[in-house]
Amino acid sequence: MKTREEIELEVIEELETLKPLYMGVNGQAVEYTDADYDWHVQTRTDMLFNEQQFGWIAKRQEEYGSVQEQLDMQYWDSVNGTTTWQDHIAQVKLNNPKP
Amino acid sequence: MSNAMVEVWSYEVTSSVASIDTGTILGATYDTYYFVGTNISLQNTVSVRLIPKVSGSAKSGTFGNCANYYQLAGSGAWGTNSNGSYSTRDFITHIGFNVLSETSNSASNAFIEATIMNSQSGTHNTYSIGNSIGCVDTTTYYSRHHLVATEDNTADVYDGFVIQPDSGNINKGKFKIYGLINS
């Protein structure tokens, strides 16, 4: 797992490949100021750090599927003696491990 | 009925930009502001963030909470994205969650909207509700409707916004902000 400082360094390196960035202001696209670039680094670092720390929660929520879909899996598991639902949940957890 | 809804800002993206700065266009004249974006296409398939400005500067760091739900139009199934205080970066954001890139779907012209309340109060937190649609999943061809409620857990007084995708450029779109209710 990366520290916030490590992520910030990666964002700064990435930014060099993206420059110049443009901001739409008063109907014009103007290049970012130094302050805008600094703000970009801070907000993107915050976003990537939060994704690293907590993104697995949202990804699991999405991949689990709806309650209806899971209940359907459980019904057919009970009818057929299979473990589709249990396997599905285990796979989602495996795909999106806690950091 | 006069002055029920007054346009205070607009911007049309005609050449790609990484973000859009509204300038300092919010003020005490209105209690509530309505933000709308139409025909939006992005470079990447990401969400669009509406980031508050305070004293002329866009906020950064963690300062809010977010409840975010989506619904696939084809199935009607609801899901959740980025809920809870951990997604504090997402204040008034994800209103265009997963707006597809132009390369993913050339017809992905998304619509996003948000109503922002209490932004001019120095004693109460700011709240917003937002919607988005037009986010077509290229695998299932479902449009994806997002509904998001957010709160800024500070009493900051806003004077504007920066509109920014999570990554990449905004290639196309018309954006407007209206003042809704006179103070």
Side-chain angles (χ1 to χ4, degrees), chain A residues 22-25 27-29 32 39 44 46-47 50-51 54 57-58 61-62, chain B residues 11 17-21 58-59 61 70 80-82 86 89 144 162 164 166:
Chain A
Y22 291 91
M23 176 97 68
V25 185
Q28 302 280 328
Y32 274 27
W39 173 78
R44 183 147 177 79
D46 285 340
M47 183 183 76
N50 277 332
E51 278 186 0
F54 307 109
I57 298 173
Q61 286 175 338
E62 182 154 18
Chain B
Y11 189 93
V17 290
S19 56
I20 302 168
D21 187 342
K59 293 182 72 166
Y70 69 85
T80 58
N81 280 114
S82 302
Y86 59 82
R89 70 178 176 86
R144 192 158 154 146
V162 171
Q164 185 187 49
D166 270 1

PDB file of all heavy atoms in Angstrom, chain A residues 22-25 27-29 32 39 44 46-47 50-51 54 57-58 61-62, chain B residues 11 17-21 58-59 61 70 80-82 86 89 144 162 164 166:
ATOM      1  N   TYR A  22      -5.882  22.807 -19.544  1.00  0.00           N
ATOM      2  CA  TYR A  22      -6.608  24.052 -19.793  1.00  0.00           C
ATOM      3  C   TYR A  22      -7.845  24.142 -18.909  1.00  0.00           C
ATOM      4  O   TYR A  22      -8.529  23.151 -18.657  1.00  0.00           O
ATOM      5  CB  TYR A  22      -7.016  24.153 -21.265  1.00  0.00           C
ATOM      6  CG  TYR A  22      -5.836  24.348 -22.175  1.00  0.00           C
ATOM      7  CD1 TYR A  22      -5.184  23.247 -22.743  1.00  0.00           C
ATOM      8  CD2 TYR A  22      -5.345  25.619 -22.432  1.00  0.00           C
ATOM      9  CE1 TYR A  22      -4.074  23.424 -23.559  1.00  0.00           C
ATOM     10  CE2 TYR A  22      -4.240  25.805 -23.253  1.00  0.00           C
ATOM     11  CZ  TYR A  22      -3.610  24.706 -23.806  1.00  0.00           C
ATOM     12  OH  TYR A  22      -2.509  24.884 -24.605  1.00  0.00           O
ATOM     13  N   MET A  23      -8.096  25.361 -18.457  1.00  0.00           N
ATOM     14  CA  MET A  23      -9.269  25.667 -17.639  1.00  0.00           C
ATOM     15  C   MET A  23     -10.200  26.554 -18.465  1.00  0.00           C
ATOM     16  O   MET A  23      -9.739  27.514 -19.091  1.00  0.00           O
ATOM     17  CB  MET A  23      -8.829  26.415 -16.372  1.00  0.00           C
ATOM     18  CG  MET A  23      -9.944  26.881 -15.473  1.00  0.00           C
ATOM     19  SD  MET A  23     -10.288  25.784 -14.101  1.00  0.00           S
ATOM     20  CE  MET A  23      -8.827  25.934 -13.084  1.00  0.00           C
ATOM     21  N   GLY A  24     -11.487  26.216 -18.451  1.00  0.00           N
ATOM     22  CA  GLY A  24     -12.455  27.071 -19.115  1.00  0.00           C
ATOM     23  C   GLY A  24     -12.848  28.213 -18.196  1.00  0.00           C
ATOM     24  O   GLY A  24     -13.416  27.988 -17.134  1.00  0.00           O
ATOM     25  N   VAL A  25     -12.528  29.441 -18.589  1.00  0.00           N
ATOM     26  CA  VAL A  25     -12.829  30.615 -17.768  1.00  0.00           C
ATOM     27  C   VAL A  25     -13.359  31.714 -18.668  1.00  0.00           C
ATOM     28  O   VAL A  25     -12.721  32.054 -19.671  1.00  0.00           O
ATOM     29  CB  VAL A  25     -11.561  31.139 -17.032  1.00  0.00           C
ATOM     30  CG1 VAL A  25     -11.931  32.274 -16.086  1.00  0.00           C
ATOM     31  CG2 VAL A  25     -10.852  30.034 -16.289  1.00  0.00           C
ATOM     32  N   GLY A  27     -15.548  31.901 -20.905  1.00  0.00           N
ATOM     33  CA  GLY A  27     -15.720  31.554 -22.305  1.00  0.00           C
ATOM     34  C   GLY A  27     -14.445  31.204 -23.036  1.00  0.00           C
ATOM     35  O   GLY A  27     -14.473  30.948 -24.240  1.00  0.00           O
ATOM     36  N   GLN A  28     -13.316  31.191 -22.332  1.00  0.00           N
ATOM     37  CA  GLN A  28     -12.028  30.912 -22.967  1.00  0.00           C
ATOM     38  C   GLN A  28     -11.362  29.720 -22.293  1.00  0.00           C
ATOM     39  O   GLN A  28     -11.520  29.518 -21.094  1.00  0.00           O
ATOM     40  CB  GLN A  28     -11.081  32.120 -22.815  1.00  0.00           C
ATOM     41  CG  GLN A  28     -11.620  33.414 -23.388  1.00  0.00           C
ATOM     42  CD  GLN A  28     -11.463  33.499 -24.882  1.00  0.00           C
ATOM     43  OE1 GLN A  28     -10.517  32.955 -25.436  1.00  0.00           O
ATOM     44  NE2 GLN A  28     -12.387  34.162 -25.548  1.00  0.00           N
ATOM     45  N   ALA A  29     -10.599  28.955 -23.082  1.00  0.00           N
ATOM     46  CA  ALA A  29      -9.767  27.893 -22.516  1.00  0.00           C
ATOM     47  C   ALA A  29      -8.370  28.450 -22.290  1.00  0.00           C
ATOM     48  O   ALA A  29      -7.675  28.787 -23.251  1.00  0.00           O
ATOM     49  CB  ALA A  29      -9.717  26.701 -23.465  1.00  0.00           C
ATOM     50  N   TYR A  32      -3.669  26.305 -17.214  1.00  0.00           N
ATOM     51  CA  TYR A  32      -3.638  26.342 -15.754  1.00  0.00           C
ATOM     52  C   TYR A  32      -2.522  27.276 -15.268  1.00  0.00           C
ATOM     53  O   TYR A  32      -1.424  27.308 -15.845  1.00  0.00           O
ATOM     54  CB  TYR A  32      -3.352  24.948 -15.196  1.00  0.00           C
ATOM     55  CG  TYR A  32      -4.561  24.047 -14.996  1.00  0.00           C
ATOM     56  CD1 TYR A  32      -5.710  24.189 -15.747  1.00  0.00           C
ATOM     57  CD2 TYR A  32      -4.514  23.046 -14.034  1.00  0.00           C
ATOM     58  CE1 TYR A  32      -6.793  23.352 -15.564  1.00  0.00           C
ATOM     59  CE2 TYR A  32      -5.599  22.197 -13.828  1.00  0.00           C
ATOM     60  CZ  TYR A  32      -6.732  22.349 -14.598  1.00  0.00           C
ATOM     61  OH  TYR A  32      -7.792  21.526 -14.396  1.00  0.00           O
ATOM     62  N   TRP A  39      -3.263  22.794  -7.159  1.00  0.00           N
ATOM     63  CA  TRP A  39      -4.570  22.309  -6.719  1.00  0.00           C
ATOM     64  C   TRP A  39      -4.888  20.971  -7.383  1.00  0.00           C
ATOM     65  O   TRP A  39      -5.406  20.060  -6.732  1.00  0.00           O
ATOM     66  CB  TRP A  39      -5.638  23.348  -7.069  1.00  0.00           C
ATOM     67  CG  TRP A  39      -7.032  22.890  -6.821  1.00  0.00           C
ATOM     68  CD1 TRP A  39      -7.673  22.831  -5.612  1.00  0.00           C
ATOM     69  CD2 TRP A  39      -7.956  22.416  -7.798  1.00  0.00           C
ATOM     70  NE1 TRP A  39      -8.944  22.332  -5.788  1.00  0.00           N
ATOM     71  CE2 TRP A  39      -9.143  22.076  -7.107  1.00  0.00           C
ATOM     72  CE3 TRP A  39      -7.909  22.244  -9.179  1.00  0.00           C
ATOM     73  CZ2 TRP A  39     -10.264  21.584  -7.765  1.00  0.00           C
ATOM     74  CZ3 TRP A  39      -9.023  21.751  -9.835  1.00  0.00           C
ATOM     75  CH2 TRP A  39     -10.182  21.434  -9.130  1.00  0.00           C
ATOM     76  N   ARG A  44      -6.152  15.407  -6.981  1.00  0.00           N
ATOM     77  CA  ARG A  44      -5.971  14.070  -7.576  1.00  0.00           C
ATOM     78  C   ARG A  44      -5.306  13.124  -6.575  1.00  0.00           C
ATOM     79  O   ARG A  44      -5.640  11.942  -6.515  1.00  0.00           O
ATOM     80  CB  ARG A  44      -5.167  14.166  -8.874  1.00  0.00           C
ATOM     81  CG  ARG A  44      -5.015  12.831  -9.574  1.00  0.00           C
ATOM     82  CD  ARG A  44      -4.985  12.944 -11.068  1.00  0.00           C
ATOM     83  NE  ARG A  44      -4.777  11.648 -11.699  1.00  0.00           N
ATOM     84  CZ  ARG A  44      -5.744  10.734 -11.872  1.00  0.00           C
ATOM     85  NH1 ARG A  44      -6.972  10.986 -11.476  1.00  0.00           N
ATOM     86  NH2 ARG A  44      -5.482   9.577 -12.446  1.00  0.00           N
ATOM     87  N   ASP A  46      -5.646  13.328  -3.305  1.00  0.00           N
ATOM     88  CA  ASP A  46      -6.729  12.976  -2.360  1.00  0.00           C
ATOM     89  C   ASP A  46      -7.598  11.866  -2.938  1.00  0.00           C
ATOM     90  O   ASP A  46      -7.943  10.897  -2.250  1.00  0.00           O
ATOM     91  CB  ASP A  46      -7.613  14.205  -2.087  1.00  0.00           C
ATOM     92  CG  ASP A  46      -6.934  15.205  -1.175  1.00  0.00           C
ATOM     93  OD1 ASP A  46      -5.986  14.810  -0.472  1.00  0.00           O
ATOM     94  OD2 ASP A  46      -7.347  16.376  -1.194  1.00  0.00           O
ATOM     95  N   MET A  47      -7.961  12.024  -4.218  1.00  0.00           N
ATOM     96  CA  MET A  47      -8.862  11.058  -4.846  1.00  0.00           C
ATOM     97  C   MET A  47      -8.217   9.674  -4.905  1.00  0.00           C
ATOM     98  O   MET A  47      -8.833   8.678  -4.513  1.00  0.00           O
ATOM     99  CB  MET A  47      -9.209  11.524  -6.258  1.00  0.00           C
ATOM    100  CG  MET A  47     -10.190  10.618  -6.971  1.00  0.00           C
ATOM    101  SD  MET A  47     -10.494  11.148  -8.661  1.00  0.00           S
ATOM    102  CE  MET A  47      -8.990  10.606  -9.451  1.00  0.00           C
ATOM    103  N   ASN A  50      -7.835   8.141  -1.414  1.00  0.00           N
ATOM    104  CA  ASN A  50      -9.125   7.648  -0.914  1.00  0.00           C
ATOM    105  C   ASN A  50      -9.555   6.381  -1.634  1.00  0.00           C
ATOM    106  O   ASN A  50     -10.113   5.469  -1.013  1.00  0.00           O
ATOM    107  CB  ASN A  50     -10.204   8.719  -1.063  1.00  0.00           C
ATOM    108  CG  ASN A  50     -10.181   9.712   0.077  1.00  0.00           C
ATOM    109  OD1 ASN A  50      -9.774   9.371   1.182  1.00  0.00           O
ATOM    110  ND2 ASN A  50     -10.588  10.936  -0.192  1.00  0.00           N
ATOM    111  N   GLU A  51      -9.297   6.312  -2.924  1.00  0.00           N
ATOM    112  CA  GLU A  51      -9.650   5.105  -3.670  1.00  0.00           C
ATOM    113  C   GLU A  51      -8.862   3.909  -3.167  1.00  0.00           C
ATOM    114  O   GLU A  51      -9.389   2.802  -3.052  1.00  0.00           O
ATOM    115  CB  GLU A  51      -9.400   5.313  -5.164  1.00  0.00           C
ATOM    116  CG  GLU A  51     -10.529   6.047  -5.844  1.00  0.00           C
ATOM    117  CD  GLU A  51     -10.357   6.138  -7.353  1.00  0.00           C
ATOM    118  OE1 GLU A  51      -9.346   5.624  -7.877  1.00  0.00           O
ATOM    119  OE2 GLU A  51     -11.226   6.731  -7.987  1.00  0.00           O
ATOM    120  N   PHE A  54     -10.366   3.180   0.440  1.00  0.00           N
ATOM    121  CA  PHE A  54     -11.779   2.846   0.603  1.00  0.00           C
ATOM    122  C   PHE A  54     -12.484   2.378  -0.669  1.00  0.00           C
ATOM    123  O   PHE A  54     -13.646   2.009  -0.617  1.00  0.00           O
ATOM    124  CB  PHE A  54     -12.537   4.066   1.157  1.00  0.00           C
ATOM    125  CG  PHE A  54     -11.935   4.628   2.403  1.00  0.00           C
ATOM    126  CD1 PHE A  54     -11.281   5.849   2.384  1.00  0.00           C
ATOM    127  CD2 PHE A  54     -11.995   3.934   3.589  1.00  0.00           C
ATOM    128  CE1 PHE A  54     -10.710   6.370   3.534  1.00  0.00           C
ATOM    129  CE2 PHE A  54     -11.429   4.440   4.746  1.00  0.00           C
ATOM    130  CZ  PHE A  54     -10.775   5.661   4.720  1.00  0.00           C
ATOM    131  N   ILE A  57     -14.654  -0.868  -0.971  1.00  0.00           N
ATOM    132  CA  ILE A  57     -16.023  -0.954  -0.427  1.00  0.00           C
ATOM    133  C   ILE A  57     -17.035  -0.752  -1.553  1.00  0.00           C
ATOM    134  O   ILE A  57     -17.962  -1.550  -1.740  1.00  0.00           O
ATOM    135  CB  ILE A  57     -16.233   0.096   0.681  1.00  0.00           C
ATOM    136  CG1 ILE A  57     -15.262  -0.166   1.836  1.00  0.00           C
ATOM    137  CG2 ILE A  57     -17.682   0.076   1.160  1.00  0.00           C
ATOM    138  CD1 ILE A  57     -15.279   0.910   2.904  1.00  0.00           C
ATOM    139  N   ALA A  58     -16.835   0.321  -2.321  1.00  0.00           N
ATOM    140  CA  ALA A  58     -17.770   0.606  -3.415  1.00  0.00           C
ATOM    141  C   ALA A  58     -17.725  -0.477  -4.481  1.00  0.00           C
ATOM    142  O   ALA A  58     -18.755  -0.872  -5.037  1.00  0.00           O
ATOM    143  CB  ALA A  58     -17.455   1.968  -4.024  1.00  0.00           C
ATOM    144  N   GLN A  61     -19.619  -3.440  -3.258  1.00  0.00           N
ATOM    145  CA  GLN A  61     -21.069  -3.179  -3.281  1.00  0.00           C
ATOM    146  C   GLN A  61     -21.621  -3.357  -4.680  1.00  0.00           C
ATOM    147  O   GLN A  61     -22.697  -3.929  -4.877  1.00  0.00           O
ATOM    148  CB  GLN A  61     -21.356  -1.757  -2.779  1.00  0.00           C
ATOM    149  CG  GLN A  61     -21.202  -1.599  -1.282  1.00  0.00           C
ATOM    150  CD  GLN A  61     -21.379  -0.159  -0.840  1.00  0.00           C
ATOM    151  OE1 GLN A  61     -21.216   0.767  -1.615  1.00  0.00           O
ATOM    152  NE2 GLN A  61     -21.727   0.027   0.417  1.00  0.00           N
ATOM    153  N   GLU A  62     -20.882  -2.862  -5.669  1.00  0.00           N
ATOM    154  CA  GLU A  62     -21.369  -2.935  -7.043  1.00  0.00           C
ATOM    155  C   GLU A  62     -21.335  -4.365  -7.559  1.00  0.00           C
ATOM    156  O   GLU A  62     -22.270  -4.852  -8.186  1.00  0.00           O
ATOM    157  CB  GLU A  62     -20.546  -2.031  -7.947  1.00  0.00           C
ATOM    158  CG  GLU A  62     -21.036  -2.031  -9.384  1.00  0.00           C
ATOM    159  CD  GLU A  62     -20.688  -0.754 -10.120  1.00  0.00           C
ATOM    160  OE1 GLU A  62     -19.807  -0.017  -9.660  1.00  0.00           O
ATOM    161  OE2 GLU A  62     -21.307  -0.508 -11.155  1.00  0.00           O
TER     162      GLU A  62
ATOM    163  N   TYR B  11     -21.387  28.329 -19.562  1.00  0.00           N
ATOM    164  CA  TYR B  11     -20.146  28.056 -20.288  1.00  0.00           C
ATOM    165  C   TYR B  11     -20.403  26.912 -21.246  1.00  0.00           C
ATOM    166  O   TYR B  11     -20.991  25.897 -20.883  1.00  0.00           O
ATOM    167  CB  TYR B  11     -19.020  27.657 -19.322  1.00  0.00           C
ATOM    168  CG  TYR B  11     -17.656  27.569 -19.985  1.00  0.00           C
ATOM    169  CD1 TYR B  11     -16.803  28.658 -19.986  1.00  0.00           C
ATOM    170  CD2 TYR B  11     -17.242  26.405 -20.626  1.00  0.00           C
ATOM    171  CE1 TYR B  11     -15.555  28.598 -20.604  1.00  0.00           C
ATOM    172  CE2 TYR B  11     -15.999  26.333 -21.244  1.00  0.00           C
ATOM    173  CZ  TYR B  11     -15.160  27.431 -21.230  1.00  0.00           C
ATOM    174  OH  TYR B  11     -13.935  27.368 -21.843  1.00  0.00           O
ATOM    175  N   VAL B  17     -11.223  21.039 -22.332  1.00  0.00           N
ATOM    176  CA  VAL B  17     -10.609  21.628 -21.138  1.00  0.00           C
ATOM    177  C   VAL B  17     -10.564  20.571 -20.038  1.00  0.00           C
ATOM    178  O   VAL B  17     -11.398  19.661 -19.983  1.00  0.00           O
ATOM    179  CB  VAL B  17     -11.395  22.859 -20.628  1.00  0.00           C
ATOM    180  CG1 VAL B  17     -11.252  24.034 -21.584  1.00  0.00           C
ATOM    181  CG2 VAL B  17     -12.864  22.533 -20.394  1.00  0.00           C
ATOM    182  N   ALA B  18      -9.571  20.693 -19.147  1.00  0.00           N
ATOM    183  CA  ALA B  18      -9.447  19.766 -18.026  1.00  0.00           C
ATOM    184  C   ALA B  18     -10.429  20.108 -16.923  1.00  0.00           C
ATOM    185  O   ALA B  18     -10.829  19.244 -16.128  1.00  0.00           O
ATOM    186  CB  ALA B  18      -8.020  19.784 -17.486  1.00  0.00           C
ATOM    187  N   SER B  19     -10.809  21.377 -16.844  1.00  0.00           N
ATOM    188  CA  SER B  19     -11.767  21.816 -15.834  1.00  0.00           C
ATOM    189  C   SER B  19     -12.366  23.149 -16.261  1.00  0.00           C
ATOM    190  O   SER B  19     -11.886  23.785 -17.195  1.00  0.00           O
ATOM    191  CB  SER B  19     -11.097  21.935 -14.461  1.00  0.00           C
ATOM    192  OG  SER B  19      -9.995  22.807 -14.535  1.00  0.00           O
ATOM    193  N   ILE B  20     -13.413  23.534 -15.562  1.00  0.00           N
ATOM    194  CA  ILE B  20     -14.071  24.812 -15.850  1.00  0.00           C
ATOM    195  C   ILE B  20     -14.229  25.564 -14.540  1.00  0.00           C
ATOM    196  O   ILE B  20     -14.716  25.016 -13.550  1.00  0.00           O
ATOM    197  CB  ILE B  20     -15.466  24.597 -16.474  1.00  0.00           C
ATOM    198  CG1 ILE B  20     -15.357  23.768 -17.756  1.00  0.00           C
ATOM    199  CG2 ILE B  20     -16.135  25.934 -16.763  1.00  0.00           C
ATOM    200  CD1 ILE B  20     -16.716  23.279 -18.259  1.00  0.00           C
ATOM    201  N   ASP B  21     -13.797  26.811 -14.539  1.00  0.00           N
ATOM    202  CA  ASP B  21     -13.888  27.651 -13.349  1.00  0.00           C
ATOM    203  C   ASP B  21     -15.022  28.649 -13.564  1.00  0.00           C
ATOM    204  O   ASP B  21     -14.994  29.420 -14.522  1.00  0.00           O
ATOM    205  CB  ASP B  21     -12.561  28.377 -13.137  1.00  0.00           C
ATOM    206  CG  ASP B  21     -12.513  29.138 -11.825  1.00  0.00           C
ATOM    207  OD1 ASP B  21     -13.594  29.397 -11.244  1.00  0.00           O
ATOM    208  OD2 ASP B  21     -11.407  29.470 -11.388  1.00  0.00           O
ATOM    209  N   ALA B  58     -10.715  26.871  -5.058  1.00  0.00           N
ATOM    210  CA  ALA B  58     -11.409  25.585  -5.014  1.00  0.00           C
ATOM    211  C   ALA B  58     -10.962  24.799  -3.794  1.00  0.00           C
ATOM    212  O   ALA B  58      -9.780  24.770  -3.450  1.00  0.00           O
ATOM    213  CB  ALA B  58     -11.107  24.795  -6.282  1.00  0.00           C
ATOM    214  N   LYS B  59     -11.948  24.174  -3.131  1.00  0.00           N
ATOM    215  CA  LYS B  59     -11.632  23.403  -1.938  1.00  0.00           C
ATOM    216  C   LYS B  59     -10.911  22.104  -2.324  1.00  0.00           C
ATOM    217  O   LYS B  59     -11.137  21.547  -3.392  1.00  0.00           O
ATOM    218  CB  LYS B  59     -12.914  23.061  -1.166  1.00  0.00           C
ATOM    219  CG  LYS B  59     -13.592  24.277  -0.557  1.00  0.00           C
ATOM    220  CD  LYS B  59     -14.829  23.898   0.237  1.00  0.00           C
ATOM    221  CE  LYS B  59     -14.459  23.218   1.534  1.00  0.00           C
ATOM    222  NZ  LYS B  59     -15.621  23.134   2.475  1.00  0.00           N
ATOM    223  N   GLY B  61      -9.093  18.399  -0.144  1.00  0.00           N
ATOM    224  CA  GLY B  61      -9.132  17.679   1.119  1.00  0.00           C
ATOM    225  C   GLY B  61     -10.483  17.045   1.353  1.00  0.00           C
ATOM    226  O   GLY B  61     -11.253  16.835   0.417  1.00  0.00           O
ATOM    227  N   TYR B  70     -27.224   4.302  -8.062  1.00  0.00           N
ATOM    228  CA  TYR B  70     -27.432   4.282  -9.504  1.00  0.00           C
ATOM    229  C   TYR B  70     -28.478   3.232  -9.844  1.00  0.00           C
ATOM    230  O   TYR B  70     -28.729   2.293  -9.082  1.00  0.00           O
ATOM    231  CB  TYR B  70     -26.136   3.992 -10.255  1.00  0.00           C
ATOM    232  CG  TYR B  70     -25.617   2.591 -10.093  1.00  0.00           C
ATOM    233  CD1 TYR B  70     -26.077   1.555 -10.907  1.00  0.00           C
ATOM    234  CD2 TYR B  70     -24.677   2.288  -9.124  1.00  0.00           C
ATOM    235  CE1 TYR B  70     -25.614   0.262 -10.756  1.00  0.00           C
ATOM    236  CE2 TYR B  70     -24.203   0.998  -8.960  1.00  0.00           C
ATOM    237  CZ  TYR B  70     -24.677  -0.009  -9.781  1.00  0.00           C
ATOM    238  OH  TYR B  70     -24.231  -1.282  -9.617  1.00  0.00           O
ATOM    239  N   THR B  80     -25.230   0.902  -5.355  1.00  0.00           N
ATOM    240  CA  THR B  80     -24.670   2.038  -4.643  1.00  0.00           C
ATOM    241  C   THR B  80     -23.239   2.268  -5.081  1.00  0.00           C
ATOM    242  O   THR B  80     -22.533   1.355  -5.465  1.00  0.00           O
ATOM    243  CB  THR B  80     -24.673   1.812  -3.124  1.00  0.00           C
ATOM    244  OG1 THR B  80     -23.928   0.626  -2.836  1.00  0.00           O
ATOM    245  CG2 THR B  80     -26.083   1.671  -2.609  1.00  0.00           C
ATOM    246  N   ASN B  81     -22.843   3.516  -5.031  1.00  0.00           N
ATOM    247  CA  ASN B  81     -21.462   3.881  -5.328  1.00  0.00           C
ATOM    248  C   ASN B  81     -20.983   4.894  -4.310  1.00  0.00           C
ATOM    249  O   ASN B  81     -21.685   5.871  -4.030  1.00  0.00           O
ATOM    250  CB  ASN B  81     -21.343   4.525  -6.714  1.00  0.00           C
ATOM    251  CG  ASN B  81     -21.329   3.511  -7.824  1.00  0.00           C
ATOM    252  OD1 ASN B  81     -22.246   3.466  -8.612  1.00  0.00           O
ATOM    253  ND2 ASN B  81     -20.314   2.693  -7.875  1.00  0.00           N
ATOM    254  N   SER B  82     -19.819   4.669  -3.795  1.00  0.00           N
ATOM    255  CA  SER B  82     -19.101   5.706  -3.054  1.00  0.00           C
ATOM    256  C   SER B  82     -19.940   6.372  -1.979  1.00  0.00           C
ATOM    257  O   SER B  82     -20.035   7.587  -1.922  1.00  0.00           O
ATOM    258  CB  SER B  82     -18.590   6.777  -4.017  1.00  0.00           C
ATOM    259  OG  SER B  82     -17.775   6.202  -4.980  1.00  0.00           O
ATOM    260  N   TYR B  86     -16.165   8.172   3.822  1.00  0.00           N
ATOM    261  CA  TYR B  86     -14.865   7.925   3.212  1.00  0.00           C
ATOM    262  C   TYR B  86     -14.744   8.570   1.850  1.00  0.00           C
ATOM    263  O   TYR B  86     -13.658   8.772   1.345  1.00  0.00           O
ATOM    264  CB  TYR B  86     -14.605   6.422   3.089  1.00  0.00           C
ATOM    265  CG  TYR B  86     -15.622   5.666   2.282  1.00  0.00           C
ATOM    266  CD1 TYR B  86     -15.551   5.643   0.902  1.00  0.00           C
ATOM    267  CD2 TYR B  86     -16.657   4.989   2.904  1.00  0.00           C
ATOM    268  CE1 TYR B  86     -16.480   4.960   0.165  1.00  0.00           C
ATOM    269  CE2 TYR B  86     -17.595   4.303   2.172  1.00  0.00           C
ATOM    270  CZ  TYR B  86     -17.507   4.286   0.801  1.00  0.00           C
ATOM    271  OH  TYR B  86     -18.440   3.619   0.076  1.00  0.00           O
ATOM    272  N   ARG B  89     -14.147  13.278  -0.814  1.00  0.00           N
ATOM    273  CA  ARG B  89     -13.716  14.057  -1.966  1.00  0.00           C
ATOM    274  C   ARG B  89     -14.866  14.300  -2.928  1.00  0.00           C
ATOM    275  O   ARG B  89     -14.768  15.126  -3.811  1.00  0.00           O
ATOM    276  CB  ARG B  89     -12.613  13.319  -2.713  1.00  0.00           C
ATOM    277  CG  ARG B  89     -13.118  12.087  -3.405  1.00  0.00           C
ATOM    278  CD  ARG B  89     -12.050  11.380  -4.191  1.00  0.00           C
ATOM    279  NE  ARG B  89     -12.555  10.157  -4.770  1.00  0.00           N
ATOM    280  CZ  ARG B  89     -13.175  10.097  -5.928  1.00  0.00           C
ATOM    281  NH1 ARG B  89     -13.385  11.193  -6.623  1.00  0.00           N
ATOM    282  NH2 ARG B  89     -13.610   8.961  -6.385  1.00  0.00           N
ATOM    283  N   ARG B 144     -27.798   4.638 -17.545  1.00  0.00           N
ATOM    284  CA  ARG B 144     -27.547   4.515 -16.122  1.00  0.00           C
ATOM    285  C   ARG B 144     -27.940   5.827 -15.458  1.00  0.00           C
ATOM    286  O   ARG B 144     -27.400   6.889 -15.786  1.00  0.00           O
ATOM    287  CB  ARG B 144     -26.062   4.219 -15.927  1.00  0.00           C
ATOM    288  CG  ARG B 144     -25.676   3.780 -14.551  1.00  0.00           C
ATOM    289  CD  ARG B 144     -24.358   3.021 -14.664  1.00  0.00           C
ATOM    290  NE  ARG B 144     -23.621   3.097 -13.420  1.00  0.00           N
ATOM    291  CZ  ARG B 144     -22.855   2.102 -12.965  1.00  0.00           C
ATOM    292  NH1 ARG B 144     -22.737   0.999 -13.652  1.00  0.00           N
ATOM    293  NH2 ARG B 144     -22.203   2.230 -11.842  1.00  0.00           N
ATOM    294  N   VAL B 162     -15.668  24.744  -9.341  1.00  0.00           N
ATOM    295  CA  VAL B 162     -14.854  24.227 -10.436  1.00  0.00           C
ATOM    296  C   VAL B 162     -15.489  22.909 -10.868  1.00  0.00           C
ATOM    297  O   VAL B 162     -15.818  22.072 -10.026  1.00  0.00           O
ATOM    298  CB  VAL B 162     -13.387  24.010 -10.017  1.00  0.00           C
ATOM    299  CG1 VAL B 162     -12.621  23.263 -11.107  1.00  0.00           C
ATOM    300  CG2 VAL B 162     -12.717  25.343  -9.730  1.00  0.00           C
ATOM    301  N   GLN B 164     -14.982  19.467 -12.854  1.00  0.00           N
ATOM    302  CA  GLN B 164     -13.803  18.697 -13.256  1.00  0.00           C
ATOM    303  C   GLN B 164     -14.126  17.207 -13.323  1.00  0.00           C
ATOM    304  O   GLN B 164     -14.708  16.655 -12.388  1.00  0.00           O
ATOM    305  CB  GLN B 164     -12.679  18.932 -12.241  1.00  0.00           C
ATOM    306  CG  GLN B 164     -11.370  18.281 -12.627  1.00  0.00           C
ATOM    307  CD  GLN B 164     -10.342  18.393 -11.525  1.00  0.00           C
ATOM    308  OE1 GLN B 164     -10.615  18.093 -10.372  1.00  0.00           O
ATOM    309  NE2 GLN B 164      -9.154  18.846 -11.879  1.00  0.00           N
ATOM    310  N   ASP B 166     -13.035  13.217 -13.094  1.00  0.00           N
ATOM    311  CA  ASP B 166     -12.040  12.546 -12.249  1.00  0.00           C
ATOM    312  C   ASP B 166     -10.685  12.474 -12.948  1.00  0.00           C
ATOM    313  O   ASP B 166      -9.648  12.519 -12.302  1.00  0.00           O
ATOM    314  CB  ASP B 166     -12.500  11.128 -11.905  1.00  0.00           C
ATOM    315  CG  ASP B 166     -13.319  11.102 -10.626  1.00  0.00           C
ATOM    316  OD1 ASP B 166     -13.531  12.181 -10.031  1.00  0.00           O
ATOM    317  OD2 ASP B 166     -13.746  10.010 -10.214  1.00  0.00           O
TER     318      ASP B 166
END
